[in-house]
Amino acid sequence: MTDTTKEIDMTRTIVDFNILQTVPPSNLNRDDTGSPKSAVYGGVRRARVSSQAWKRATRVAFADLLDDSELGLRTKRVVELLGDRIVAKAPQITIERAQELAGLAFGAAGIKLAASGKSTQENPLPGESRYLLFLSDLQIDHVAELCVAADAADDPKVSLKSADVKNALDTRHSIDLALFGRMVADASDLNVDAACQVAHALSVHAVDTEFDYFTAVDDHKAADDAEDAGAGMIGTVEFNSSTLYRYATIDVDLLAKNLGDRVASRRAVEAFARAFALSMPSGKQNTFANRTVPDAVVISIRESQPVNLVGAFEEAVVGDQRLQRAGDRLAAHAREIDENFGTTPVATWIVRSGEATEALDALGDRVSLTEAVEALGAAVEERLGTDA
């Protein structure tokens, strides 16, 4: 009998991030009614923070970790954005002409524009893309240079068509674009597959939404003895508190393909590791001051496939000492998965504080976050070898 079993590709480089984080009363990520987002998992209602919310927080944190030239911008106002860059490069070009050139450039790339919904006869505004378009700083710069050159040509439209604007928008990807990807509805060949996936964060236990009834005093009214003592306004804010399980994974090989450079790939992985661990969605931060750091971060390099360990909490944690119970479960589940499915990581680093999560130490080397990020970056660069 012929053996048709295919061997698993063990040459991949995948980085998994598993995080346990306790959050006090908060409303990190709310739905259209103002309620904290939630989901049913394991038959009970859990607190939930959407992947989009934490990806946004991570991207915002990149600003403190990476240079502007390594990042991108996601906007519909692409004509305005490119027009401003054209004028910055060639001040002799008027803003009106620059925006005209920008429109021609996006047209040459196959990206359709629409009139701004806020444009009026009295206040005409430049066109916009019909969806949010993710562009790297270097791509904007490159296309701006093509537009400046086209302005000096006899026919700027023909010049831009021959300049291969589409190629300019499909090279020199920024780190955030390479990580989180890009979809261009009008020109699918400009799509970029995301090298990073982020799961919705879930509480390891069941939660109930609570309500904070508040009043606000009218200071001026309170100083008037003739006025009543009633509040200036009243209202309610919904909240919950939870111990969250967070997960993300990076396909380093795809990241290197998107960026085309192993050093940039290392910087991307290091920046993501630090930003994802320490960032937090900003929902109702002023109301609750709920900014915490993780209780435990487990970073693993795998060669087979990503492994989301949320199954450790399919049965909701109950009782007290939830963080300790969660740490024990996560450690046990990780070992069992790896032993039975052959997914044992080639390297794992544990970053934690306190004694509640000490069971996780059995999974790898306990280090500080800085040490983990540096070791991860070095391992990624070594595994990538020569430039992609």
Side-chain angles (χ1 to χ4, degrees):
M1 183 176 178
T2 303
D3 183 6
T4 58
T5 303
K6 292 183 178 179
E7 292 187 4
I8 297 176
D9 181 5
M10 301 299 283
T11 62
R12 301 176 66 188
T13 301
I14 295 163
V15 182
D16 280 350
F17 301 86
N18 294 275
I19 295 177
L20 292 176
Q21 184 165 357
T22 56
V23 183
S26 57
N27 189 341
L28 296 180
N29 184 210
R30 55 192 183 271
D31 64 19
D32 58 337
T33 69
S35 300
K37 288 186 177 180
S38 64
V40 174
Y41 180 64
V44 298
R45 180 70 58 182
R46 313 290 185 104
R48 176 174 68 91
V49 181
S50 73
S51 60
Q52 296 90 334
W54 229 301
K55 281 190 283 188
R56 171 64 181 170
T58 300
R59 282 185 56 221
V60 170
F62 280 165
D64 295 325
L65 301 171
L66 298 166
D67 187 78
D68 288 347
S69 64
E70 298 175 286
L71 297 173
L73 192 67
R74 189 175 62 181
T75 182
K76 295 172 68 175
R77 296 163 61 175
V78 290
V79 172
E80 178 184 340
L81 175 67
L82 180 56
D84 289 345
R85 187 66 60 91
I86 292 169
V87 171
K89 288 184 171 295
Q92 74 277 10
I93 299 177
T94 66
I95 187 62
E96 292 78 15
R97 176 61 172 169
Q99 291 175 355
E100 179 185 352
L101 291 167
L104 292 175
F106 285 114
I111 298 172
K112 298 177 182 178
L113 302 174
S116 169
K118 296 182 179 180
S119 184
T120 63
Q121 279 191 328
E122 297 76 20
N123 182 32
L125 298 175
E128 299 179 346
S129 57
R130 297 186 297 181
Y131 41 79
L132 290 171
L133 188 59
F134 207 165
L135 300 172
S136 76
D137 185 76
L138 294 178
Q139 288 167 352
I140 298 166
D141 214 48
H142 190 187
V143 176
E145 291 171 356
L146 296 179
C147 288
V148 171
D151 184 57
D154 292 335
D155 190 332
K157 185 174 183 179
V158 172
S159 175
L160 285 168
K161 280 191 174 182
S162 63
D164 200 359
V165 176
K166 180 172 285 189
N167 182 64
L169 294 175
D170 199 31
T171 54
R172 306 182 187 181
H173 296 314
S174 59
I175 283 176
D176 47 359
L177 197 163
L179 281 167
F180 300 123
R182 175 176 70 190
M183 189 183 79
V184 182
D186 299 327
S188 59
D189 48 345
L190 288 176
N191 291 350
V192 178
D193 291 333
C196 175
Q197 299 171 354
V198 178
H200 290 236
L202 288 176
S203 64
V204 303
H205 51 82
V207 297
D208 292 315
T209 298
E210 300 182 67
F211 294 82
D212 176 36
Y213 170 83
F214 68 88
T215 64
V217 175
D218 183 323
D219 294 334
H220 185 67
K221 175 183 170 182
D224 188 344
D225 293 336
E227 286 283 356
D228 63 73
M233 69 169 290
I234 60 174
T236 59
V237 177
E238 297 181 55
F239 68 92
N240 59 36
S241 58
S242 60
T243 297
L244 295 172
Y245 169 71
R246 300 168 51 202
Y247 172 78
T249 185
I250 296 176
D251 183 334
V252 174
D253 304 297
L254 179 55
L255 177 64
K257 177 184 176 183
N258 288 346
L259 290 172
D261 181 272
R262 76 177 190 278
V263 175
S265 299
R266 172 179 180 165
R267 282 181 57 75
V269 171
E270 289 178 336
F272 180 84
R274 187 174 292 277
F276 183 63
L278 296 179
S279 64
M280 180 172 282
S282 58
K284 294 291 184 180
Q285 285 277 8
N286 290 342
T287 301
F288 293 103
N290 50 260
R291 189 71 180 260
T292 61
V293 297
D295 298 280
V297 180
V298 180
I299 304 174
S300 301
I301 294 180
R302 301 182 188 274
E303 293 181 319
S304 53
Q305 68 171 62
V307 181
N308 185 324
L309 298 173
V310 70
F313 312 110
E314 193 274 340
E315 181 181 342
V317 173
V318 295
D320 55 6
Q321 298 180 317
R322 288 177 175 174
L323 180 59
Q324 180 177 330
R325 293 173 190 266
D328 292 347
R329 282 204 198 175
L330 184 60
H333 187 66
R335 287 194 299 268
E336 188 171 358
I337 290 292
D338 293 337
E339 290 170 3
N340 287 284
F341 292 93
T343 54
T344 302
V346 297
T348 297
W349 299 275
I350 314 298
V351 182
R352 66 175 184 84
S353 60
E355 298 179 357
T357 55
E358 62 183 352
L360 295 171
D361 290 352
L363 300 179
D365 299 325
R366 185 182 177 188
V367 294
S368 69
L369 180 60
T370 296
E371 291 169 333
V373 169
E374 291 175 352
L376 172 63
V380 162
E381 186 174 2
E382 180 181 4
R383 291 178 66 82
L384 286 175
T386 57
D387 280 344

